[in-house]
Amino acid sequence: MTITPELIEQHQLTTDEFQKIVSLLGREPSYTELGVFSVMWSEHCSYKSSRIHLKKLPTQGKYVVQGPGENAGIIGIGGGWVAAFKIESHNHPSYIEPFQGAATGVGGILRDIFTMGARPIAVMDSLRFGPLDNPRNRRILDGVVSGIAHYGNCFGVPTVGGECVFEDCYSGNPLVNVFALGVCKENEIFYARASGIGNPVIYVGAKTGRDGIHGASMASAEFTEESKQKRPNVQVGDPFLEKLLLEACIEAMKTGAIVAIQDMGAAGLTSSSCEMGSRGGVGIDLDLDRVPQRESGMTAYEMLLSESQERMLLVAEKGREDEVFQVFRKWALDAVTIGVVTDDGKLRIRHHGAVVAEIPNKALADEAPRYHRPYSAPYRKAPMGPPTHIPASKDLSADLLRLVGSPDLCSKRWIWEQYDYTVRTNTITGPGSDAAVVRVKETGVSIAMSLDGNGRYCYLDPREGAKLAVAECCRNLATAGAVPVAATNNLNFGNPERPEIMAQLVEAIEGIAEACAYFETPITGGNVSLYNETLGEGIYPTPVLGIVGLMKTAIPPPVQFLRVGAHVILLGGLRENHALRFGSTEYAKVILNQLWGLPPQLDMAYEKRVHACIREVLESGLAESAHDLSDGGLGVALAECCTGEIGARIQLNAADRAEFTLFGEAPSRILVSTADPDRIHEIALRFDIESVTIGATMGGRLQIGDETIPWIDVATTDLKQMSENTLPKLLHTA
């Protein structure tokens, strides 16, 4: 086929990129080679707009065993055991086909984990949708949640937590970010680095079909009116087959016959082969006639670009192939030698006896263009200054109920009740907690996990918003009693070719770098998802952080108050909540329907001291309940503590307006109930943080006021009903 300018454009390559391909090959590429370059040089696979900035992230620390560059990051957790974890996005596929898009997102991240030799033990998800008054958004939410539940439940991994947010900007571009974590012994880690000239390259798992062709390219472009017609680009998953694949891979790894292994994710057979070859500095010679196929008449182009699910590529020691084949036959899975490791550093593809592609592995995996795209001031339309008049609340009790019943802040029970979050019996705290905690029975250690991001904050100030996401994750972990040790991130942004959007990305990365360095949580890997735009309208800049912490196996205190008569303490104090920073709050969004100013102000040194303080409080057994403050501020945090049978009577002596005091979202604060407030105040004093006894628990009602005026008086049953019933009603399932 003649390579024309139109064909180059269809493959989302620029003229300059095509000329670089010609230069690397010393000739024009064939049609098949053009397709291979197009997926490997796509934004999704090459990170060509972000790679130079990602180098700013801290990646090393005392717990880090494997940083960025492999299928997942790995940290040591003690006793000779390690945890592998990573976050990935499946945004575009989930818009086109919500169920399969989300399901295969789960399948892909699980393969990233067990490719490293680790058995997955936990999944979390960070979701963003448009408002639920739009039937299409309801359909997307229902499909995505069903897809996550289907794959995770069938595979047998607990979905232990996450977050779900609704904003107009996600209507045409939902975000589906999935985090997974697994464990194994340190001497059982596997890497995707091919080696051993003459070693066989073995294809295992499902057969190859035509689903997912150009999926990576689709994920590297804006949505248009034609995007809805791209269902063939969305993969179809089979979680039961993936469960078999997991068990077969783990068993085959134990034979000692496997040299390297990689899953076939984005760009399928192409990426798995050239990346293994490039990492190992060797060549890979493949014969596509041997590839198991479920459809007839597939071309080399289709086989190389297919993203059919549940497939792996591995390199075995020559002469030990039968050991591998026996394992996969036992699990009723295909296992076929389709190639060999060579010494020339090239990916060589044969089909029907002819060489149809011959490309240096490094040209595909490492030599994609790296753009230093221009960037200006980050994009924002929201005014910087607050309105001249912020109306006083007419009914703070009604405001609190509206906030508790808003889509962002309401209980997500409707979502997580569809997930099996206790399978494998390792879950200590699951959905609805500040942090998810799973135990590793063999070590006496538990792993705490938190996902967090706030697009509204990052829209107003990408750098500060990103830092706040890191701080929030670390605070969630500390509130469970864990020490944050490492992080993964998913960077969801619009079109990087627009300087104002590129500025958002750069500022957010630099904010994450600064905060992760300060909180000693190096980034061990992650994902960049760009071009999240539909018809020219981009999403909020939405970096999502997944941070992992370690703790001795124990049950963290609950969020809810447990008994009448406990003292309620606000660690961190009331903090100042200025009008300039009030426009970023949920109160401004839900009650005022406005957005302005800046996100809350973070003092990282103070924040870190609050973390250390709450850990000591928990280690001393002083906290009957603990809950960090975040979206919705103190008022919503108190309401969440009162969704059981127990309420509280709270008195606040604040200089700010009641709305600012109740619903300002200043960070670095944690609510604790206790029988021994004096000891907690002593600990807080040693850490040089404020701690204020603001009231006591009582039965049945939440009452909040200052010295003279009652502000809020609501029944705990009303708070619970408003929180629990909102989502089902919005989805018309109640």
Side-chain angles (χ1 to χ4, degrees), residues 654-727:
D656 290 333
R657 284 176 50 170
E659 297 93 327
F660 291 5
T661 299
L662 286 169
F663 305 116
E665 296 178 2
S668 315
R669 299 185 293 169
I670 299 170
L671 278 170
V672 177
S673 66
T674 183
D676 195 344
D678 290 341
R679 287 186 62 194
I680 292 180
H681 293 317
E682 289 172 7
I683 294 171
L685 187 63
R686 280 197 283 107
F687 285 101
D688 191 25
I689 65 167
E690 292 183 68
S691 63
V692 185
T693 299
I694 59 173
T697 57
M698 67 177 186
R701 302 195 72 79
L702 173 60
Q703 297 176 340
I704 309 174
D706 64 11
E707 292 176 326
T708 57
I709 303 172
W711 292 344
I712 287 173
D713 187 356
V714 293
T716 58
T717 52
D718 291 342
L719 291 169
K720 182 174 183 177
Q721 288 176 7
M722 184 64 76
S723 177
E724 298 283 356
N725 295 339
T726 293
L727 204 52

Side-chain angles (χ1 to χ4, degrees), residues 554-693:
I555 299 176
V559 167
Q560 288 78 22
F561 296 139
L562 293 180
R563 65 177 180 89
V564 171
H567 301 269
V568 179
I569 292 177
L570 180 58
L571 285 180
L574 288 170
R575 313 299 301 276
E576 288 185 300
N577 292 280
H578 300 296
L580 177 66
R581 300 182 185 275
F582 196 65
S584 63
T585 64
E586 287 287 337
Y587 187 93
K589 174 183 174 179
V590 174
I591 307 299
L592 304 178
N593 193 29
Q594 294 191 58
L595 178 68
W596 75 81
L598 294 170
Q601 188 168 16
L602 175 67
D603 178 337
M604 291 197 296
Y606 192 84
E607 176 81 40
K608 197 171 185 179
R609 295 201 302 276
V610 170
H611 301 173
C613 177
I614 186 62
R615 280 194 295 270
E616 183 165 329
V617 168
L618 296 177
E619 288 168 6
S620 301
L622 298 173
E624 297 176 7
S625 69
H627 184 32
D628 85 302
L629 274 63
S630 57
D631 296 344
L634 176 59
V636 169
L638 283 165
E640 290 168 343
C641 294
C642 294
T643 52
E645 300 293 324
I646 308 301
R649 181 178 289 111
I650 304 297
Q651 180 175 305
L652 303 173
N653 302 315
D656 290 333
R657 284 176 50 170
E659 297 93 327
F660 291 5
T661 299
L662 286 169
F663 305 116
E665 296 178 2
S668 315
R669 299 185 293 169
I670 299 170
L671 278 170
V672 177
S673 66
T674 183
D676 195 344
D678 290 341
R679 287 186 62 194
I680 292 180
H681 293 317
E682 289 172 7
I683 294 171
L685 187 63
R686 280 197 283 107
F687 285 101
D688 191 25
I689 65 167
E690 292 183 68
S691 63
V692 185
T693 299

Side-chain angles (χ1 to χ4, degrees), residues 56 365 682 733:
K56 302 171 185 176
E682 289 172 7
T733 62

